[in-house]
Amino acid sequence: MRIGVTLPGYGADQPVTITDAARMAERMGFDSIWNTDHVIMVAGAASPYPFDAQGVMRWDLDHPMFDALIALAAAASVTTHVEVGTCVLIAPMRNPIVLAKQVATLDAISGGRFVLGVGVGWLAEEFAALDAPFEGRGTRMDDWIDILRDCWTGTPAARSYEHYDVPEGIRCYPTPLGELPILVGGDSPPALRRTARRGDGWLGFSYTDELDPARIGDSIETIRTEAASAGREPPTRLAVQTPGPVAPLAGQLAELAGRGVTEVVTSADWTAPDRVQDGLSLLRQSV
């Protein structure tokens, strides 16, 4: 079981910087470090938050959230071997060729340690503010995954996708240093199908106080079934982001592993490094 941790992706007034936390996470022995993504928040938004029973976001809208890719570039620059990833980047509201360039650059900066977790997003008002279509974002995601991989060859072929036309003769460098994995985030049926048919892995989500290994196991079985129907080998990297206290996660980690989960991404209070280290030790002992 691989264990990752999210970095403090908020403003510079925080007592522990993102680079400090990245160094500590690597030194403590985490397998991966991650950052979440929103370009903006919108006061009074009507879009329901899909990971809360009441549809309510669980953070302060006025926290100055860092740009995920820039923040991870900084984290990668002060570490040497820990994996660096997004959990998850909202791909369909970005230009796919610009995103391909950014991700390949980050992979080069990190020495080939980057993993791209992507999701379709849920905040319609955020898409509107960025002049990006919210409707049809699922099929845009399908196109974007294909475009990213084609751009990462350096010489993408001219092609008309449903939502984007790649012109003739473009060069897209740098290219990733190796096979750059794309993990598809989300628990909806379309997200699970996308994981099975296009992804290199899955990145589910559950707060630790709501963990349900049986439900997560059902999602994994759906991915395997969908992959078989598509004639693909099922992805073997099956991760779950699990914000919240470590103890509930530790209590169910063995069952999650038995259901097929290969990796968890937990959260941390980086102002208390000793407790972060103790939490990692507890998780290591729980599998």
Side-chain angles (χ1 to χ4, degrees), residues 24-38:
M24 285 191 284
E26 183 170 73
R27 186 168 60 248
M28 289 175 183
F30 283 98
D31 298 299
S32 53
I33 52 178
W34 303 77
N35 208 349
T36 56
D37 176 51
H38 277 288

Side-chain angles (χ1 to χ4, degrees), residues 44-148:
S47 299
Y49 179 54
F51 302 109
D52 180 87
Q54 306 302 318
V56 178
M57 290 178 281
R58 300 189 182 187
W59 62 89
D60 182 353
L61 298 186
D62 290 318
H63 277 175
M65 189 180 293
F66 288 150
D67 179 272
L69 296 177
I70 293 176
L72 287 173
S77 72
V78 298
T79 54
T80 60
H81 59 271
V82 68
E83 191 177 53
V84 180
T86 52
C87 62
V88 295
L89 197 80
I90 308 168
M93 65 186 186
R94 292 171 162 86
N95 178 285
I97 295 178
V98 173
L99 180 57
K101 173 101 173 175
Q102 292 171 323
V103 170
T105 299
L106 210 162
D107 190 65
I109 289 171
S110 69
R113 291 183 283 134
F114 188 69
V115 56
L116 178 63
V118 293
V120 298
W122 55 272
L123 184 56
E125 294 85 352
E126 182 177 21
F127 278 72
L130 298 175
D131 196 26
F134 186 71
E135 297 301 323
R137 66 196 186 280
T139 52
R140 285 167 67 87
M141 172 73 91
D142 293 338
D143 284 355
W144 270 216
I145 291 173
D146 293 344
I147 293 169
L148 288 172

